[in-house]
Amino acid sequence: MEEVQLLRIARALADPTRFGIFKKIAESGEICCGELAAAFPVKQATVSHHVKVLEEAGLVETRREGQFHLFRAVPATLDDYRASLGRIF
């Protein structure tokens, strides 16, 4: 994994709310934005922003089902991240 991607993931996970959102997505298997917004004390627009950052880091995938956007974690990205950190440190 390139250093730029390592930093993107680190920044994405450094925000406590975003970390919690990622954790909730990973635990849920697949979850919609409304369910995430209900689980955190932030507005749905804020959840969408956080998910976008996680998606840009490659940690989350989105699929559309009708009017809903469903999110799921990408375990391979997290595995690559951990392995890359292990090689560096």
Side-chain angles (χ1 to χ4, degrees):
M1 180 176 284
E2 293 183 20
E3 189 172 312
V4 171
Q5 182 64 10
L6 283 169
L7 293 172
R8 188 176 290 130
I9 292 169
R11 277 190 223 111
L13 295 175
D15 181 275
T17 301
R18 198 162 30 245
F19 183 84
I21 289 170
F22 178 66
K23 185 176 174 189
K24 180 76 170 171
I25 292 170
E27 291 170 350
S28 299
E30 193 169 65
I31 191 168
C32 70
C33 193
E35 290 178 75
L36 283 172
F40 293 91
V42 295
K43 295 184 181 197
Q44 190 164 340
T46 304
V47 170
S48 293
H49 168 74
H50 284 306
V51 170
K52 181 181 177 195
V53 173
L54 292 167
E55 191 173 28
E56 289 171 352
L59 293 165
V60 171
E61 291 178 333
T62 304
R63 77 175 179 89
R64 191 175 171 114
E65 188 173 293
Q67 66 181 7
F68 299 101
H69 287 91
L70 299 167
F71 310 113
R72 66 176 166 254
V74 181
T77 301
L78 200 54
D79 292 342
D80 290 347
Y81 177 70
R82 286 189 299 242
S84 296
L85 286 178
R87 284 191 296 275
I88 292 169
F89 301 109

